Amino acid sequence: MINIKLGNKPFKVKEAISPKEKEQGLMNINSLPKDEGMIFYWEEPSKVSMWMHNTNIPLDIIFINDD
């Protein structure tokens, strides 16, 4: 877990870097504290999509780029 801030709000996030970590994501998680989440990294700017297979919790998704 790493600590990040979005605006003034702190979050603890697990990093998804490898293809396996990205594929697993938050599948089969039944609860997640409001201040925790997951961050996905791509080396190069890419068009990506996310799917919610076996995701049992409500999620918000934010895409962030260099700009």
Short mmCIF file of all heavy atoms in Angstrom, two decimals:
data_model
loop_
_atom_site.label_atom_id
_atom_site.label_comp_id
_atom_site.label_asym_id
_atom_site.label_seq_id
_atom_site.Cartn_x
_atom_site.Cartn_y
_atom_site.Cartn_z
N MET A 1 0.84 -1.18 0.00
CA MET A 1 0.00 0.00 0.00
C MET A 1 0.88 1.24 0.00
O MET A 1 1.91 1.25 0.67
CB MET A 1 -0.89 0.04 1.23
CG MET A 1 -1.96 -1.00 1.27
SD MET A 1 -3.37 -0.53 0.31
CE MET A 1 -4.66 -0.87 1.42
N ILE A 2 0.45 2.21 -0.75
CA ILE A 2 1.13 3.50 -0.73
C ILE A 2 0.10 4.57 -0.34
O ILE A 2 -1.11 4.35 -0.46
CB ILE A 2 1.79 3.84 -2.08
CG1 ILE A 2 0.74 3.95 -3.19
CG2 ILE A 2 2.86 2.83 -2.43
CD1 ILE A 2 1.27 4.53 -4.48
N ASN A 3 0.58 5.70 0.12
CA ASN A 3 -0.28 6.82 0.47
C ASN A 3 -0.23 7.85 -0.65
O ASN A 3 0.86 8.19 -1.13
CB ASN A 3 0.18 7.46 1.78
CG ASN A 3 0.03 6.50 2.94
OD1 ASN A 3 -1.02 5.90 3.13
ND2 ASN A 3 1.08 6.34 3.72
N ILE A 4 -1.41 8.30 -1.07
CA ILE A 4 -1.49 9.36 -2.08
C ILE A 4 -2.50 10.40 -1.60
O ILE A 4 -3.24 10.16 -0.64
CB ILE A 4 -1.92 8.82 -3.47
CG1 ILE A 4 -3.34 8.26 -3.43
CG2 ILE A 4 -0.93 7.78 -3.97
CD1 ILE A 4 -3.93 7.97 -4.79
N LYS A 5 -2.51 11.55 -2.27
CA LYS A 5 -3.50 12.58 -1.99
C LYS A 5 -4.14 13.00 -3.30
O LYS A 5 -3.45 13.20 -4.30
CB LYS A 5 -2.83 13.80 -1.37
CG LYS A 5 -2.90 13.86 0.10
CD LYS A 5 -2.46 15.22 0.61
CE LYS A 5 -2.64 15.26 2.10
NZ LYS A 5 -2.21 16.55 2.65
N LEU A 6 -5.45 13.10 -3.30
CA LEU A 6 -6.19 13.69 -4.41
C LEU A 6 -6.82 14.95 -3.85
O LEU A 6 -7.70 14.88 -2.99
CB LEU A 6 -7.26 12.75 -4.94
CG LEU A 6 -6.74 11.47 -5.60
CD1 LEU A 6 -7.90 10.55 -5.97
CD2 LEU A 6 -5.92 11.80 -6.83
N GLY A 7 -6.31 16.10 -4.30
CA GLY A 7 -6.68 17.35 -3.65
C GLY A 7 -6.14 17.31 -2.24
O GLY A 7 -4.97 17.02 -2.02
N ASN A 8 -6.99 17.52 -1.27
CA ASN A 8 -6.57 17.47 0.14
C ASN A 8 -6.94 16.15 0.81
O ASN A 8 -6.72 15.98 2.00
CB ASN A 8 -7.21 18.62 0.92
CG ASN A 8 -6.66 19.95 0.50
OD1 ASN A 8 -5.49 20.05 0.13
ND2 ASN A 8 -7.48 20.98 0.54
N LYS A 9 -7.51 15.22 0.05
CA LYS A 9 -7.99 13.97 0.64
C LYS A 9 -6.94 12.87 0.52
O LYS A 9 -6.52 12.53 -0.57
CB LYS A 9 -9.27 13.54 -0.08
CG LYS A 9 -9.85 12.28 0.46
CD LYS A 9 -11.29 12.47 0.87
CE LYS A 9 -11.91 11.16 1.27
NZ LYS A 9 -11.76 10.84 2.63
N PRO A 10 -6.50 12.30 1.64
CA PRO A 10 -5.52 11.20 1.60
C PRO A 10 -6.20 9.86 1.33
O PRO A 10 -7.33 9.62 1.76
CB PRO A 10 -4.91 11.22 3.01
CG PRO A 10 -5.98 11.79 3.87
CD PRO A 10 -6.79 12.73 3.01
N PHE A 11 -5.50 9.00 0.62
CA PHE A 11 -5.97 7.64 0.32
C PHE A 11 -4.81 6.67 0.49
O PHE A 11 -3.65 7.03 0.28
CB PHE A 11 -6.47 7.53 -1.13
CG PHE A 11 -7.73 8.29 -1.39
CD1 PHE A 11 -7.68 9.60 -1.84
CD2 PHE A 11 -8.97 7.70 -1.18
CE1 PHE A 11 -8.84 10.30 -2.09
CE2 PHE A 11 -10.13 8.41 -1.42
CZ PHE A 11 -10.07 9.71 -1.88
N LYS A 12 -5.13 5.44 0.82
CA LYS A 12 -4.18 4.33 0.82
C LYS A 12 -4.55 3.47 -0.38
O LYS A 12 -5.70 3.03 -0.49
CB LYS A 12 -4.30 3.50 2.10
CG LYS A 12 -3.97 4.25 3.35
CD LYS A 12 -4.25 3.37 4.54
CE LYS A 12 -4.32 4.24 5.79
NZ LYS A 12 -4.85 3.51 6.91
N VAL A 13 -3.60 3.25 -1.28
CA VAL A 13 -3.92 2.48 -2.47
C VAL A 13 -2.91 1.37 -2.71
O VAL A 13 -1.73 1.50 -2.41
CB VAL A 13 -4.00 3.38 -3.74
CG1 VAL A 13 -5.14 4.37 -3.62
CG2 VAL A 13 -2.70 4.11 -4.00
N LYS A 14 -3.44 0.27 -3.22
CA LYS A 14 -2.59 -0.83 -3.64
C LYS A 14 -2.20 -0.56 -5.09
O LYS A 14 -3.03 -0.11 -5.89
CB LYS A 14 -3.34 -2.16 -3.53
CG LYS A 14 -2.51 -3.34 -3.90
CD LYS A 14 -3.24 -4.63 -3.67
CE LYS A 14 -2.31 -5.76 -4.11
NZ LYS A 14 -2.92 -7.06 -3.99
N GLU A 15 -0.97 -0.84 -5.45
CA GLU A 15 -0.50 -0.60 -6.80
C GLU A 15 -0.72 -1.84 -7.68
O GLU A 15 -0.38 -2.95 -7.28
CB GLU A 15 0.98 -0.26 -6.80
CG GLU A 15 1.29 1.02 -6.03
CD GLU A 15 2.76 1.25 -5.91
OE1 GLU A 15 3.40 0.53 -5.09
OE2 GLU A 15 3.27 2.11 -6.62
N ALA A 16 -1.28 -1.62 -8.86
CA ALA A 16 -1.42 -2.67 -9.87
C ALA A 16 -0.47 -2.31 -11.01
O ALA A 16 -0.74 -1.40 -11.79
CB ALA A 16 -2.85 -2.77 -10.37
N ILE A 17 0.66 -2.99 -11.06
CA ILE A 17 1.70 -2.66 -12.04
C ILE A 17 1.82 -3.77 -13.09
O ILE A 17 1.80 -3.50 -14.29
CB ILE A 17 3.05 -2.43 -11.34
CG1 ILE A 17 2.93 -1.27 -10.35
CG2 ILE A 17 4.15 -2.15 -12.36
CD1 ILE A 17 4.10 -1.10 -9.42
N SER A 18 1.91 -5.00 -12.65
CA SER A 18 2.10 -6.12 -13.58
C SER A 18 0.78 -6.45 -14.28
O SER A 18 -0.31 -6.12 -13.78
CB SER A 18 2.60 -7.36 -12.84
OG SER A 18 1.54 -7.92 -12.06
N PRO A 19 0.86 -7.10 -15.44
CA PRO A 19 -0.39 -7.52 -16.11
C PRO A 19 -1.28 -8.38 -15.21
O PRO A 19 -2.49 -8.22 -15.20
CB PRO A 19 0.11 -8.32 -17.32
CG PRO A 19 1.45 -7.73 -17.63
CD PRO A 19 2.03 -7.40 -16.27
N LYS A 20 -0.69 -9.25 -14.41
CA LYS A 20 -1.47 -10.10 -13.50
C LYS A 20 -2.18 -9.27 -12.44
O LYS A 20 -3.35 -9.51 -12.13
CB LYS A 20 -0.56 -11.15 -12.86
CG LYS A 20 -1.31 -12.13 -11.98
CD LYS A 20 -0.39 -13.24 -11.50
CE LYS A 20 -1.09 -14.14 -10.53
NZ LYS A 20 -1.73 -15.27 -11.10
N GLU A 21 -1.48 -8.29 -11.87
CA GLU A 21 -2.11 -7.41 -10.87
C GLU A 21 -3.24 -6.60 -11.50
O GLU A 21 -4.30 -6.41 -10.88
CB GLU A 21 -1.07 -6.46 -10.28
CG GLU A 21 -0.04 -7.14 -9.41
CD GLU A 21 1.12 -6.24 -9.05
OE1 GLU A 21 1.51 -5.36 -9.85
OE2 GLU A 21 1.65 -6.43 -7.94
N LYS A 22 -3.04 -6.12 -12.71
CA LYS A 22 -4.09 -5.36 -13.41
C LYS A 22 -5.28 -6.25 -13.71
O LYS A 22 -6.42 -5.81 -13.61
CB LYS A 22 -3.53 -4.75 -14.69
CG LYS A 22 -2.53 -3.64 -14.45
CD LYS A 22 -1.98 -3.16 -15.76
CE LYS A 22 -0.83 -2.20 -15.55
NZ LYS A 22 -0.21 -1.81 -16.80
N GLU A 23 -5.02 -7.48 -14.11
CA GLU A 23 -6.10 -8.41 -14.42
C GLU A 23 -6.92 -8.73 -13.18
O GLU A 23 -8.14 -8.80 -13.22
CB GLU A 23 -5.53 -9.69 -15.01
CG GLU A 23 -6.57 -10.69 -15.45
CD GLU A 23 -5.96 -11.93 -16.06
OE1 GLU A 23 -4.99 -11.81 -16.84
OE2 GLU A 23 -6.44 -13.03 -15.74
N GLN A 24 -6.25 -8.93 -12.05
CA GLN A 24 -6.94 -9.27 -10.80
C GLN A 24 -7.71 -8.06 -10.26
O GLN A 24 -8.84 -8.20 -9.81
CB GLN A 24 -5.94 -9.76 -9.76
CG GLN A 24 -6.54 -10.09 -8.41
CD GLN A 24 -7.50 -11.25 -8.45
OE1 GLN A 24 -7.29 -12.22 -9.19
NE2 GLN A 24 -8.57 -11.17 -7.68
N GLY A 25 -7.08 -6.88 -10.30
CA GLY A 25 -7.75 -5.68 -9.81
C GLY A 25 -8.38 -5.88 -8.45
O GLY A 25 -7.76 -6.40 -7.53
N LEU A 26 -9.64 -5.51 -8.34
CA LEU A 26 -10.38 -5.65 -7.08
C LEU A 26 -11.43 -6.75 -7.17
O LEU A 26 -12.42 -6.73 -6.43
CB LEU A 26 -11.03 -4.31 -6.71
CG LEU A 26 -10.03 -3.21 -6.35
CD1 LEU A 26 -10.73 -1.87 -6.21
CD2 LEU A 26 -9.26 -3.54 -5.08
N MET A 27 -11.19 -7.73 -8.05
CA MET A 27 -12.13 -8.84 -8.15
C MET A 27 -12.21 -9.59 -6.83
O MET A 27 -11.21 -9.76 -6.13
CB MET A 27 -11.70 -9.84 -9.25
CG MET A 27 -11.96 -9.34 -10.63
SD MET A 27 -11.89 -10.63 -11.90
CE MET A 27 -10.38 -11.47 -11.59
N ASN A 28 -13.41 -10.02 -6.51
CA ASN A 28 -13.70 -10.85 -5.34
C ASN A 28 -13.44 -10.16 -4.01
O ASN A 28 -13.34 -10.81 -2.98
CB ASN A 28 -12.95 -12.19 -5.42
CG ASN A 28 -13.32 -12.95 -6.66
OD1 ASN A 28 -14.50 -13.12 -6.97
ND2 ASN A 28 -12.33 -13.40 -7.40
N ILE A 29 -13.32 -8.84 -4.02
CA ILE A 29 -13.23 -8.06 -2.78
C ILE A 29 -14.66 -7.75 -2.33
O ILE A 29 -15.46 -7.27 -3.12
CB ILE A 29 -12.45 -6.75 -3.01
CG1 ILE A 29 -11.03 -7.02 -3.48
CG2 ILE A 29 -12.46 -5.87 -1.75
CD1 ILE A 29 -10.14 -7.72 -2.50
N ASN A 30 -14.98 -8.02 -1.07
CA ASN A 30 -16.34 -7.81 -0.59
C ASN A 30 -16.53 -6.51 0.16
O ASN A 30 -17.66 -6.09 0.39
CB ASN A 30 -16.78 -8.99 0.28
CG ASN A 30 -16.94 -10.24 -0.55
OD1 ASN A 30 -17.52 -10.20 -1.63
ND2 ASN A 30 -16.42 -11.34 -0.06
N SER A 31 -15.44 -5.87 0.56
CA SER A 31 -15.55 -4.56 1.22
C SER A 31 -14.23 -3.82 1.04
O SER A 31 -13.18 -4.44 0.85
CB SER A 31 -15.89 -4.71 2.70
OG SER A 31 -14.83 -5.33 3.39
N LEU A 32 -14.32 -2.52 1.11
CA LEU A 32 -13.14 -1.67 0.96
C LEU A 32 -13.40 -0.38 1.73
O LEU A 32 -14.43 0.27 1.52
CB LEU A 32 -12.91 -1.35 -0.52
CG LEU A 32 -11.61 -0.70 -0.93
CD1 LEU A 32 -10.44 -1.66 -0.74
CD2 LEU A 32 -11.67 -0.30 -2.40
N PRO A 33 -12.53 -0.01 2.66
CA PRO A 33 -12.72 1.25 3.39
C PRO A 33 -12.82 2.43 2.42
O PRO A 33 -12.24 2.41 1.33
CB PRO A 33 -11.48 1.35 4.27
CG PRO A 33 -11.03 -0.06 4.45
CD PRO A 33 -11.33 -0.73 3.13
N LYS A 34 -13.54 3.47 2.83
CA LYS A 34 -13.75 4.64 1.97
C LYS A 34 -12.45 5.32 1.56
O LYS A 34 -12.39 5.97 0.53
CB LYS A 34 -14.65 5.65 2.68
CG LYS A 34 -16.10 5.20 2.74
CD LYS A 34 -16.96 6.10 3.59
CE LYS A 34 -17.04 7.50 3.02
NZ LYS A 34 -18.01 8.34 3.71
N ASP A 35 -11.40 5.17 2.35
CA ASP A 35 -10.14 5.86 2.04
C ASP A 35 -9.11 4.93 1.40
O ASP A 35 -7.92 5.23 1.38
CB ASP A 35 -9.55 6.51 3.29
CG ASP A 35 -9.12 5.49 4.34
OD1 ASP A 35 -9.55 4.32 4.27
OD2 ASP A 35 -8.33 5.87 5.23
N GLU A 36 -9.55 3.78 0.87
CA GLU A 36 -8.63 2.85 0.22
C GLU A 36 -9.06 2.57 -1.21
O GLU A 36 -10.23 2.74 -1.56
CB GLU A 36 -8.53 1.53 1.00
CG GLU A 36 -7.82 1.69 2.32
CD GLU A 36 -7.56 0.38 3.03
OE1 GLU A 36 -7.69 -0.69 2.40
OE2 GLU A 36 -7.24 0.43 4.23
N GLY A 37 -8.09 2.15 -2.03
CA GLY A 37 -8.41 1.83 -3.41
C GLY A 37 -7.23 1.17 -4.10
O GLY A 37 -6.36 0.59 -3.45
N MET A 38 -7.22 1.30 -5.41
CA MET A 38 -6.17 0.69 -6.21
C MET A 38 -5.79 1.68 -7.31
O MET A 38 -6.64 2.37 -7.85
CB MET A 38 -6.65 -0.62 -6.82
CG MET A 38 -5.62 -1.32 -7.68
SD MET A 38 -6.15 -2.99 -8.12
CE MET A 38 -5.45 -3.89 -6.73
N ILE A 39 -4.50 1.73 -7.62
CA ILE A 39 -4.01 2.57 -8.70
C ILE A 39 -3.34 1.67 -9.74
O ILE A 39 -2.60 0.76 -9.39
CB ILE A 39 -3.06 3.68 -8.19
CG1 ILE A 39 -2.72 4.66 -9.30
CG2 ILE A 39 -1.82 3.10 -7.55
CD1 ILE A 39 -2.07 5.95 -8.81
N PHE A 40 -3.68 1.89 -11.00
CA PHE A 40 -3.16 1.10 -12.12
C PHE A 40 -2.17 1.96 -12.90
O PHE A 40 -2.48 3.11 -13.21
CB PHE A 40 -4.30 0.68 -13.06
CG PHE A 40 -5.27 -0.26 -12.43
CD1 PHE A 40 -6.21 0.17 -11.50
CD2 PHE A 40 -5.26 -1.60 -12.77
CE1 PHE A 40 -7.12 -0.71 -10.93
CE2 PHE A 40 -6.16 -2.49 -12.21
CZ PHE A 40 -7.09 -2.04 -11.28
N TYR A 41 -1.01 1.39 -13.22
CA TYR A 41 0.02 2.12 -13.96
C TYR A 41 0.18 1.57 -15.37
O TYR A 41 0.16 0.36 -15.58
CB TYR A 41 1.39 1.97 -13.28
CG TYR A 41 1.50 2.61 -11.92
CD1 TYR A 41 1.49 1.84 -10.77
CD2 TYR A 41 1.64 3.98 -11.80
CE1 TYR A 41 1.61 2.42 -9.52
CE2 TYR A 41 1.75 4.57 -10.55
CZ TYR A 41 1.74 3.79 -9.42
OH TYR A 41 1.86 4.36 -8.19
N TRP A 42 0.37 2.47 -16.33
CA TRP A 42 0.77 2.12 -17.68
C TRP A 42 2.00 2.95 -18.01
O TRP A 42 2.04 4.15 -17.71
CB TRP A 42 -0.34 2.41 -18.69
CG TRP A 42 -1.37 1.33 -18.71
CD1 TRP A 42 -1.39 0.25 -19.53
CD2 TRP A 42 -2.50 1.18 -17.85
NE1 TRP A 42 -2.46 -0.55 -19.24
CE2 TRP A 42 -3.17 -0.01 -18.22
CE3 TRP A 42 -3.03 1.93 -16.80
CZ2 TRP A 42 -4.32 -0.45 -17.59
CZ3 TRP A 42 -4.17 1.49 -16.18
CH2 TRP A 42 -4.80 0.31 -16.57
N GLU A 43 3.01 2.33 -18.60
CA GLU A 43 4.27 3.01 -18.91
C GLU A 43 4.08 4.13 -19.94
O GLU A 43 4.70 5.17 -19.85
CB GLU A 43 5.31 2.01 -19.42
CG GLU A 43 5.81 1.06 -18.36
CD GLU A 43 6.58 1.78 -17.25
OE1 GLU A 43 7.36 2.69 -17.55
OE2 GLU A 43 6.37 1.42 -16.08
N GLU A 44 3.28 3.85 -20.93
CA GLU A 44 3.04 4.81 -22.02
C GLU A 44 1.57 5.21 -22.02
O GLU A 44 0.72 4.41 -21.63
CB GLU A 44 3.40 4.17 -23.37
CG GLU A 44 4.85 3.77 -23.51
CD GLU A 44 5.80 4.96 -23.53
OE1 GLU A 44 5.41 6.01 -24.10
OE2 GLU A 44 6.90 4.85 -22.98
N PRO A 45 1.27 6.42 -22.49
CA PRO A 45 -0.15 6.78 -22.64
C PRO A 45 -0.83 5.73 -23.52
O PRO A 45 -0.30 5.32 -24.55
CB PRO A 45 -0.11 8.13 -23.33
CG PRO A 45 1.23 8.71 -22.95
CD PRO A 45 2.15 7.51 -22.88
N SER A 46 -1.97 5.25 -23.08
CA SER A 46 -2.67 4.17 -23.77
C SER A 46 -4.17 4.38 -23.64
O SER A 46 -4.65 4.96 -22.67
CB SER A 46 -2.34 2.82 -23.13
OG SER A 46 -0.97 2.59 -23.09
N LYS A 47 -4.91 3.86 -24.62
CA LYS A 47 -6.35 3.78 -24.47
C LYS A 47 -6.62 2.49 -23.70
O LYS A 47 -6.21 1.41 -24.11
CB LYS A 47 -7.04 3.73 -25.83
CG LYS A 47 -7.02 5.06 -26.53
CD LYS A 47 -7.87 5.02 -27.77
CE LYS A 47 -7.85 6.40 -28.39
NZ LYS A 47 -8.78 6.49 -29.51
N VAL A 48 -7.25 2.62 -22.57
CA VAL A 48 -7.52 1.46 -21.73
C VAL A 48 -9.01 1.39 -21.40
O VAL A 48 -9.72 2.39 -21.48
CB VAL A 48 -6.70 1.47 -20.42
CG1 VAL A 48 -5.22 1.44 -20.72
CG2 VAL A 48 -7.05 2.65 -19.57
N SER A 49 -9.45 0.22 -21.05
CA SER A 49 -10.81 0.05 -20.55
C SER A 49 -10.75 -0.84 -19.32
O SER A 49 -9.81 -1.59 -19.12
CB SER A 49 -11.70 -0.56 -21.63
OG SER A 49 -11.21 -1.82 -22.02
N MET A 50 -11.74 -0.70 -18.49
CA MET A 50 -11.80 -1.47 -17.26
C MET A 50 -13.07 -2.31 -17.31
O MET A 50 -14.09 -1.86 -17.83
CB MET A 50 -11.85 -0.55 -16.04
CG MET A 50 -10.71 0.46 -15.98
SD MET A 50 -9.12 -0.31 -15.93
CE MET A 50 -8.67 -0.06 -14.25
N TRP A 51 -13.00 -3.51 -16.78
CA TRP A 51 -14.20 -4.33 -16.68
C TRP A 51 -14.41 -4.70 -15.23
O TRP A 51 -13.47 -4.72 -14.45
CB TRP A 51 -14.13 -5.52 -17.62
CG TRP A 51 -13.05 -6.53 -17.32
CD1 TRP A 51 -11.74 -6.28 -17.00
CD2 TRP A 51 -13.19 -7.93 -17.28
NE1 TRP A 51 -11.06 -7.44 -16.80
CE2 TRP A 51 -11.93 -8.49 -16.98
CE3 TRP A 51 -14.25 -8.79 -17.52
CZ2 TRP A 51 -11.72 -9.84 -16.87
CZ3 TRP A 51 -14.02 -10.15 -17.42
CH2 TRP A 51 -12.77 -10.66 -17.10
N MET A 52 -15.62 -5.00 -14.88
CA MET A 52 -15.99 -5.18 -13.48
C MET A 52 -16.34 -6.63 -13.14
O MET A 52 -17.14 -6.88 -12.26
CB MET A 52 -17.19 -4.29 -13.16
CG MET A 52 -16.97 -2.85 -13.51
SD MET A 52 -15.55 -2.22 -12.65
CE MET A 52 -15.96 -0.51 -12.60
N HIS A 53 -15.74 -7.59 -13.83
CA HIS A 53 -16.03 -9.00 -13.58
C HIS A 53 -15.74 -9.37 -12.13
O HIS A 53 -14.66 -9.07 -11.61
CB HIS A 53 -15.19 -9.86 -14.53
CG HIS A 53 -15.47 -11.31 -14.43
ND1 HIS A 53 -16.65 -11.86 -14.89
CD2 HIS A 53 -14.76 -12.32 -13.92
CE1 HIS A 53 -16.63 -13.16 -14.66
NE2 HIS A 53 -15.50 -13.47 -14.07
N ASN A 54 -16.72 -9.98 -11.47
CA ASN A 54 -16.59 -10.41 -10.07
C ASN A 54 -16.19 -9.28 -9.13
O ASN A 54 -15.48 -9.49 -8.14
CB ASN A 54 -15.60 -11.57 -9.94
CG ASN A 54 -16.13 -12.84 -10.55
OD1 ASN A 54 -17.33 -13.07 -10.58
ND2 ASN A 54 -15.23 -13.66 -11.07
N THR A 55 -16.62 -8.06 -9.44
CA THR A 55 -16.37 -6.93 -8.55
C THR A 55 -17.63 -6.73 -7.72
O THR A 55 -18.69 -6.40 -8.25
CB THR A 55 -16.02 -5.66 -9.34
OG1 THR A 55 -14.87 -5.94 -10.14
CG2 THR A 55 -15.70 -4.51 -8.42
N ASN A 56 -17.51 -6.94 -6.42
CA ASN A 56 -18.67 -6.96 -5.52
C ASN A 56 -18.89 -5.65 -4.77
O ASN A 56 -19.71 -5.60 -3.88
CB ASN A 56 -18.49 -8.10 -4.51
CG ASN A 56 -18.30 -9.43 -5.20
OD1 ASN A 56 -18.95 -9.73 -6.18
ND2 ASN A 56 -17.38 -10.23 -4.69
N ILE A 57 -18.12 -4.62 -5.10
CA ILE A 57 -18.24 -3.35 -4.39
C ILE A 57 -18.46 -2.24 -5.41
O ILE A 57 -18.04 -2.35 -6.56
CB ILE A 57 -16.97 -3.06 -3.56
CG1 ILE A 57 -15.72 -3.07 -4.45
CG2 ILE A 57 -16.83 -4.05 -2.41
CD1 ILE A 57 -14.44 -2.68 -3.76
N PRO A 58 -19.12 -1.15 -5.02
CA PRO A 58 -19.25 -0.02 -5.95
C PRO A 58 -17.89 0.66 -6.12
O PRO A 58 -17.11 0.76 -5.16
CB PRO A 58 -20.26 0.90 -5.25
CG PRO A 58 -20.23 0.50 -3.82
CD PRO A 58 -19.79 -0.93 -3.75
N LEU A 59 -17.62 1.10 -7.33
CA LEU A 59 -16.32 1.73 -7.62
C LEU A 59 -16.49 3.05 -8.35
O LEU A 59 -17.43 3.23 -9.11
CB LEU A 59 -15.46 0.82 -8.51
CG LEU A 59 -15.05 -0.53 -7.98
CD1 LEU A 59 -14.30 -1.29 -9.05
CD2 LEU A 59 -14.20 -0.38 -6.74
N ASP A 60 -15.56 3.94 -8.13
CA ASP A 60 -15.38 5.13 -8.95
C ASP A 60 -14.06 4.94 -9.68
O ASP A 60 -13.09 4.46 -9.11
CB ASP A 60 -15.30 6.41 -8.11
CG ASP A 60 -16.61 6.73 -7.43
OD1 ASP A 60 -17.66 6.60 -8.08
OD2 ASP A 60 -16.58 7.13 -6.25
N ILE A 61 -14.02 5.35 -10.94
CA ILE A 61 -12.78 5.23 -11.73
C ILE A 61 -12.38 6.62 -12.18
O ILE A 61 -13.20 7.39 -12.68
CB ILE A 61 -12.98 4.31 -12.96
CG1 ILE A 61 -13.32 2.90 -12.49
CG2 ILE A 61 -11.73 4.31 -13.83
CD1 ILE A 61 -13.65 1.94 -13.62
N ILE A 62 -11.10 6.93 -12.00
CA ILE A 62 -10.53 8.20 -12.43
C ILE A 62 -9.36 7.90 -13.34
O ILE A 62 -8.49 7.12 -12.98
CB ILE A 62 -10.04 9.02 -11.22
CG1 ILE A 62 -11.16 9.27 -10.23
CG2 ILE A 62 -9.40 10.33 -11.68
CD1 ILE A 62 -10.69 9.83 -8.90
N PHE A 63 -9.33 8.51 -14.51
CA PHE A 63 -8.19 8.37 -15.41
C PHE A 63 -7.35 9.64 -15.28
O PHE A 63 -7.86 10.75 -15.40
CB PHE A 63 -8.65 8.17 -16.87
CG PHE A 63 -9.31 6.85 -17.10
CD1 PHE A 63 -10.68 6.70 -16.99
CD2 PHE A 63 -8.55 5.74 -17.41
CE1 PHE A 63 -11.29 5.48 -17.20
CE2 PHE A 63 -9.14 4.50 -17.61
CZ PHE A 63 -10.52 4.38 -17.51
N ILE A 64 -6.05 9.48 -15.04
CA ILE A 64 -5.13 10.61 -14.85
C ILE A 64 -4.00 10.48 -15.86
O ILE A 64 -3.44 9.41 -16.02
CB ILE A 64 -4.55 10.60 -13.41
CG1 ILE A 64 -5.68 10.64 -12.39
CG2 ILE A 64 -3.56 11.75 -13.23
CD1 ILE A 64 -5.23 10.41 -10.98
N ASN A 65 -3.66 11.57 -16.51
CA ASN A 65 -2.53 11.56 -17.43
C ASN A 65 -1.54 12.64 -17.04
O ASN A 65 -1.70 13.30 -16.01
CB ASN A 65 -3.00 11.69 -18.89
CG ASN A 65 -3.67 13.02 -19.16
OD1 ASN A 65 -3.51 13.98 -18.43
ND2 ASN A 65 -4.46 13.08 -20.23
N ASP A 66 -0.50 12.83 -17.85
CA ASP A 66 0.52 13.81 -17.54
C ASP A 66 0.01 15.25 -17.49
O ASP A 66 0.60 16.10 -16.85
CB ASP A 66 1.67 13.74 -18.56
CG ASP A 66 2.48 12.47 -18.40
OD1 ASP A 66 2.44 11.87 -17.31
OD2 ASP A 66 3.15 12.07 -19.36
N ASP A 67 -1.07 15.52 -18.22
CA ASP A 67 -1.62 16.88 -18.24
C ASP A 67 -2.41 17.18 -16.98
O ASP A 67 -2.82 18.21 -16.71
CB ASP A 67 -2.50 17.08 -19.47
CG ASP A 67 -1.68 16.96 -20.76
OD1 ASP A 67 -0.49 17.23 -20.73
OD2 ASP A 67 -2.29 16.58 -21.78
#
